[in-house]
Amino acid sequence: MCCTHSFEDRQSIDKDNTPVDLSGIAGMKFFDPHVHMTSRTTDDYQAMADAGVVALIEPAFWLGQPRTGLDSFRDYYSSLIGWERFRSSQFGIKHYCTIGLNSREANNEPLAEQVMEMLPLFIYKEGVVGIGEIGFDDQTAAEEKYYRAQLELAKEAGLPVQIHTPHRDKKGGTTRSMDIALEHGLDPHMVIVDHNNEETVKEVLDRGFWAAFTIYPFTKMGNERMVEIAKQYGSERIMVNSAADWGISDPLAVPKTAALMKLRGISDEDIRLITYQNAITAFAQSGQINEADFATGAGAIDQSQRFEGNTVLRGGQQPRVDKNSIIIS
Amino acid sequence: MYNYNVDALKALFKDILSANTSEDVLNWLLHEGNFNTRFVMVPRKTGKAALQISREQADSLNALIPGFSLNGWSIDMLSRAWVLLSLDATDKNEYFRKLEQLFLAAEVNELFSLYSSLPLLAYPDMWAKRCAEGIRSNIGNVLEAIMYQNPYPQKYLDQSAWNQLVLKAFFTGKDVGKIQGIDARANKELAYVISDYMHERRAAGRDINPSLWRLVGPFIDEKLIEDVKWALHSGVYVNEKAALLALTQSDYPAAVELLNRYPELRKAIENNQITWDGLTLEFQH
């Protein structure tokens, strides 16, 4: 997820302008376990599919501005399991989501109470692979209250938890998030701690949790730093995601990181674990991920949906547009 | 409440379910519980295997609800339909409220099941608006649930909603031949809208789905015959054949006369060598 950064910041960064070359990872499959597609354009889906992203998880997020009523939460959760899932399927990308009350939104307590009542309607839906993203932002008492309540919900439903760790006081907030999860009796193997960095990763792994890294320009991890972490810690229980959203972010962060890892000598198997398999292993504990739905490549068809052989475009996929042509027809 | 023999249908569904699930799953399905939770949790219990249905079962089904079939359904869809049938329909308002809540919070597979099950619901008139709302969806599978092998729209949509369904099918590249009642509910208003649509396609230089003509044919008049003449000179063979096929649906004297100028193609039509389904296939390749 995003935080503030100005256009000027971006201008002032001295950049290495190595062009993107994804040829080293051609044929590899990627799973982006954290990306807010509702904030992205349909062109991003196409670019992700082209780069080898076959499945993704969209965690429930805040809107960028406060939601003022229950219905806007309902519509948002519905879009994650409805429209967004369909939009994704048009590019052969399997769309999963995690459902939860975002920490920022926990601070509006009267509304948070109503949302908590509604959550059970959504968490048992097909393709809901966890409770998330939940955790701390300001680390207020209200945030803690609803974080704890949602941990209980996850435990009851047998779902993994996707934890957002705070931008400010990250190290303390990460430790505290894990302490509380253990206090509620969650198995660390059911908890994915997100937005790690060099300072938090060791404790997260030592305590048996999954460590996710968000490759997000300026505010979180860069992928060069990620390569160093992979060299130091290996690939066990480590995964990367883009957390692309309405901020300046990159929906191709996972394939680009894989490409950089490849260039810098990380083994293919470690790349596969970090950019694909570990996320599946962690979130498949929900019972809601069937790798066969996407592992065979674009356009795998859900057997529960009628498929009519009336078009070359499978499952409602869109025809391609040639972006290199000046002609738009 | 129901416009068909619901007890007979339930008995038939139970037979099909027991042939397609384990005893544990069947017991779960037969066991009453929270309606919403049961509906949502179905795939976790049943999986999603394709249904095996005997010829007799398919025939009985069609006898109970003409036009309805489980062709292409999976076990979770049938199980969800079963859960829907378990809802007490005595109180009409309460029944409506509970089902509307399912639609409002449904994910894509649930929507697909719900719209596919429209022909099974009690108070069939009451769901026409919901069906029209479904046609506004941009989700391909939802549209197909309503448009394909579903007897509900033909029977219960008013003309304007029906026309929207047909137009939306063309706009979204659906196989209109799979819409039940596509010819029976053809109407002049729709024929004129389709004529305008074909003009737009021509102006944009885009191809024209030959199936459009089957909705124009029965209403050919002095205006629409100009479209036919255009098609016959378009230089696109599939257009020409479709326009001629449309002429065979018309008693309009100028149409009959025009058709007679193409004796060979007329003969091919009479011998069923040119058909709407055949043209649709040709158009897609």
Side-chain angles (χ1 to χ4, degrees), chain A residues 121-136:
Chain A
L121 279 180
F122 286 97
I123 63 172
Y124 294 107
K125 298 279 187 186
E126 266 187 87
V128 175
V129 297
I131 302 292
E133 55 182 306
I134 62 170
F136 287 115

Side-chain angles (χ1 to χ4, degrees), chain A residues 99-117 119 131-136 140-154 161 176 180 184:
Chain A
I99 294 280
L101 174 68
N102 195 263
S103 50
R104 290 169 204 256
E105 296 169 322
N107 292 305
N108 179 348
E109 283 199 59
L111 187 52
E113 277 304 318
Q114 298 175 50
V115 175
M116 287 303 301
E117 255 180 61
L119 284 182
I131 302 292
E133 55 182 306
I134 62 170
F136 287 115
T140 63
E143 288 177 18
E144 181 173 336
K145 176 179 169 190
Y146 293 105
Y147 173 52
R148 287 178 182 275
Q150 292 183 93
L151 290 175
E152 284 298 318
L153 194 60
V161 177
R176 194 173 156 205
I180 294 173
H184 282 265

Side-chain angles (χ1 to χ4, degrees), chain B residues 264-275:
Chain B
E264 277 179 32
L265 286 172
R266 205 186 78 177
K267 195 157 188 197
I269 292 170
E270 282 162 4
N271 294 334
N272 277 330
Q273 287 161 315
I274 298 174
T275 63

Side-chain angles (χ1 to χ4, degrees), chain B residues 13 16 18 26 51 68-69 77 97 115 117 153 157 162 238:
Chain B
F13 274 12
I16 301 173
S18 61
L26 189 67
L51 283 178
F68 182 74
S69 98
M77 290 180 69
R97 198 186 62 80
Y115 282 109
S117 299
L157 289 185
W162 174 261
V238 69

Side-chain angles (χ1 to χ4, degrees), chain B residues 2 26 36 63 135 152 159 177 204 226 235:
Chain B
Y2 291 88
L26 189 67
N36 284 327
I135 296 161
Y152 185 88
Q159 181 162 302
E226 296 305 317

Side-chain angles (χ1 to χ4, degrees), chain A residues 209-223:
Chain A
F209 291 81
W210 295 89
F213 291 83
T214 295
I215 311 302
Y216 195 113
F218 313 117
T219 62
K220 296 195 176 70
M221 288 293 291
N223 57 3

